[in-house]
Amino acid sequence: MQLAMIGLGRMGANMVRRLMKDGHQCFVYDNNKENVDALVKEGAIGATSLEELVSKIEKPRAFWFMIPAAITDKVINELVPHLEKDDIIIDGGNSYFRDDRRRAQELKPKGIHYVDCGTSGGVWGLERGYCLMIGGEKEIVQHLDPVFKTIAPGKGSVAPTPGREKFQDTAQEGYLHCGAAGAGHFVKMVHNGVEYGVMAAYGEGFGILNSADCHKKKREVDAETAPEMHNDLDYEIDIAAVAEVWRRGSVVGSWLLDLTAQALAENPDLSNFSGKVSDSGEGRWTIMAAIEEAVSAEVLTSALYARFRSRKEYTYADKICSAMRFMFGGHHEKK
């Protein structure tokens, strides 16, 4: 199948490579010509402008966006004048689900189809595949199924969930049509909110372990410092080794823990991270949805606020979160 990819950053380029490896023909465009040239050398067909990109691909055409949410509307507005009825736009970035609903309605009179695709997998997706949460018209999503099937992880080595044999969906393949326009990004939004909470829990846990020798350290003795309740916390815990042992048979094992263990193995004190943890919006939108639904989300809300606080006051827990973000998504701390 033919697909045009707009945006060849950390994830977009590797998605193209995964598609080409499975026999799909890919057309690519990025503001950075070096990114385009690199993929052309690997077999993609490059373009120097959106107009040229449109002219090269056969109808009906599909254009997958892997660009920051902040510029998605701008690029759509630049692309649409060159499109025709039955062309498809797929937004694989982290857009707000209400923006997806609006875009789908705006494009409908033009006969252009809009699909939102929440994409999780970070910099590891080339080899592991990407978990895809999809919103849009059923017929269009089915038309794009060969693309989704290639990009997704497939069943792999993950054992089937007992009792799911009776369900006829693609969830076990690593991709799922979640509903109408916006549904895919809504599910991905909550996915990222949960991610915040899980990361915060690991960070806080490792932070407690990291301070298990606190009574070996001299404390201030004055009216403004709470007295010690006990004086026997003198354990020097090997944090990296704990992360490793938790990976094996523990109920808290996960891919995030795997990546944390790798980061700690490379640098046990995480001195390459300040602990300034960014958020790209999904956590905020998750909490906004929880408020609108009157659903309690104490853990996720606290995790979001902890990220805000981390930009002014850093802790070891924040370094753990920063390390995880870098390991799974290549996210560098914002200076």
Side-chain angles (χ1 to χ4, degrees), residues 123-186:
V123 296
W124 299 84
L126 176 59
E127 58 186 77
R128 290 172 56 99
Y130 299 85
C131 176
L132 306 176
M133 295 144 271
I134 307 158
E137 303 159 78
K138 183 178 180 180
E139 297 77 11
I140 302 304
V141 172
Q142 288 176 339
H143 169 72
L144 294 167
D145 188 80
V147 169
F148 297 136
K149 191 175 184 67
T150 291
I151 293 174
K155 295 178 182 178
S157 60
V158 179
T161 300
R164 275 205 61 87
E165 298 86 0
K166 60 183 178 290
F167 295 101
Q168 301 298 315
D169 58 40
T170 57
Q172 63 182 348
E173 299 286 345
Y175 66 103
L176 182 67
H177 182 207
C178 301
H185 277 147
F186 187 87

Side-chain angles (χ1 to χ4, degrees), residues 26-87:
C26 293
F27 302 77
V28 296
Y29 172 75
D30 191 280
N31 285 334
N32 186 332
K33 186 177 181 297
E34 292 181 0
N35 293 344
V36 175
D37 292 342
L39 286 170
V40 168
K41 290 178 182 177
E42 298 177 39
I45 299 171
T48 58
S49 68
L50 292 174
E51 185 175 6
E52 181 185 355
L53 185 71
V54 173
S55 70
K56 289 187 172 184
I57 189 169
E58 295 176 6
K59 303 174 186 176
R61 299 165 291 207
F63 302 85
W64 189 305
F65 287 35
M66 286 303 292
I67 58 179
I71 64 170
T72 300
D73 279 324
K74 175 179 179 293
V75 178
I76 288 177
N77 290 336
E78 292 173 355
L79 178 67
V80 165
H82 307 295
L83 301 186
E84 299 177 13
K85 183 178 181 294
D86 290 329
D87 285 338

Side-chain angles (χ1 to χ4, degrees), residues 6-298:
I6 299 172
L8 306 174
R10 287 189 298 260
M11 293 174 68
N14 280 342
M15 291 168 75
V16 169
R17 292 184 176 102
R18 191 170 174 90
L19 285 163
M20 291 194 297
K21 186 177 180 181
D22 199 33
H24 298 276
Q25 187 176 29
C26 293
F27 302 77
V28 296
Y29 172 75
D30 191 280
N31 285 334
N32 186 332
K33 186 177 181 297
E34 292 181 0
N35 293 344
V36 175
D37 292 342
L39 286 170
V40 168
K41 290 178 182 177
E42 298 177 39
I45 299 171
T48 58
S49 68
L50 292 174
E51 185 175 6
E52 181 185 355
L53 185 71
V54 173
S55 70
K56 289 187 172 184
I57 189 169
E58 295 176 6
K59 303 174 186 176
R61 299 165 291 207
F63 302 85
W64 189 305
F65 287 35
M66 286 303 292
I67 58 179
I71 64 170
T72 300
D73 279 324
K74 175 179 179 293
V75 178
I76 288 177
N77 290 336
E78 292 173 355
L79 178 67
V80 165
H82 307 295
L83 301 186
E84 299 177 13
K85 183 178 181 294
D86 290 329
D87 285 338
I88 305 166
I89 291 175
I90 309 149
D91 179 16
N94 282 323
S95 288
Y96 186 38
F97 74 94
R98 286 195 166 94
D99 287 334
D100 295 315
R101 295 169 68 95
R102 170 181 54 78
R103 291 168 189 157
Q105 287 301 312
E106 290 173 350
L107 293 171
K108 189 174 182 179
K110 298 177 174 35
I112 298 170
H113 305 284
Y114 181 88
V115 174
D116 53 286
C117 184
T119 308
S120 182
V123 296
W124 299 84
L126 176 59
E127 58 186 77
R128 290 172 56 99
Y130 299 85
C131 176
L132 306 176
M133 295 144 271
I134 307 158
E137 303 159 78
K138 183 178 180 180
E139 297 77 11
I140 302 304
V141 172
Q142 288 176 339
H143 169 72
L144 294 167
D145 188 80
V147 169
F148 297 136
K149 191 175 184 67
T150 291
I151 293 174
K155 295 178 182 178
S157 60
V158 179
T161 300
R164 275 205 61 87
E165 298 86 0
K166 60 183 178 290
F167 295 101
Q168 301 298 315
D169 58 40
T170 57
Q172 63 182 348
E173 299 286 345
Y175 66 103
L176 182 67
H177 182 207
C178 301
H185 277 147
F186 187 87
V187 174
K188 176 58 162 52
M189 173 188 80
V190 177
H191 164 285
N192 282 27
V194 171
E195 178 186 295
Y196 285 21
V198 174
M199 291 171 67
Y202 279 131
E204 291 177 8
F206 284 117
I208 293 168
L209 293 174
N210 188 58
S211 295
D213 62 347
C214 64
H215 291 144
K216 284 187 172 183
K217 301 170 183 176
K218 185 177 180 181
R219 286 167 55 94
E220 297 290 336
V221 180
D222 55 44
E224 307 305 322
T225 304
E228 294 180 344
M229 293 184 290
H230 306 283
N231 62 356
D232 58 352
L233 277 177
D234 55 4
Y235 302 121
E236 294 185 7
I237 306 292
D238 185 335
I239 308 299
V242 170
E244 186 63 26
V245 77
W246 281 0
R247 293 182 60 221
R248 305 174 187 281
S250 165
V251 297
V252 299
S254 71
W255 186 40
L256 282 173
L257 180 61
D258 295 345
L259 296 174
T260 303
Q262 185 176 337
L264 288 165
E266 293 171 0
N267 188 353
D269 64 2
L270 300 179
S271 58
N272 50 330
F273 297 98
S274 70
K276 186 177 183 181
V277 189
S278 299
D279 76 286
S280 54
E282 297 87 354
R284 303 184 190 201
W285 302 335
T286 301
I287 304 312
M288 289 164 58
I291 293 169
E292 192 168 345
E293 297 166 359
V295 172
S296 60
E298 297 96 328

Side-chain angles (χ1 to χ4, degrees), residues 294-305:
V295 172
S296 60
E298 297 96 328
V299 172
L300 307 192
T301 303
S302 296
L304 175 64
Y305 288 161

